Amino acid sequence: MKEYKELEAKNKKYKNYKTKHEFLSKFQKTDRLHPIVTICIYYGEDSLKLE
């Protein structure tokens, strides 16, 4: 969300909108967000039971 808010603020400040869709979303077609991958590893003593 931090990255999105920074892009949104930049676009709003400089009014970099080419279409009405970009204006409504506050996000340009060329803007890109970096994906985040979270991995959770369980290494406890109890067995993990999936139901």
Side-chain angles (χ1 to χ4, degrees):
M1 288 303 295
K2 181 180 177 185
E3 187 177 18
Y4 174 78
K5 290 190 182 284
E6 289 172 358
L7 286 170
E8 179 183 23
K10 179 192 74 148
N11 290 335
K12 190 174 184 180
K13 180 179 179 181
Y14 296 112
K15 306 214 185 306
N16 293 331
Y17 308 120
K18 294 179 177 74
T19 66
K20 62 183 178 183
H21 303 292
E22 289 181 356
F23 175 77
L24 290 174
S25 67
K26 309 286 190 273
F27 204 70
Q28 291 180 322
K29 187 176 183 178
T30 57
D31 289 340
R32 298 289 182 253
L33 296 175
H34 297 93
I36 297 174
V37 176
T38 303
I39 298 173
C40 180
I41 300 173
Y42 176 78
Y43 53 92
E45 294 180 13
D46 298 334
S47 63
L48 182 62
K49 295 180 182 179
L50 300 175
E51 296 180 18

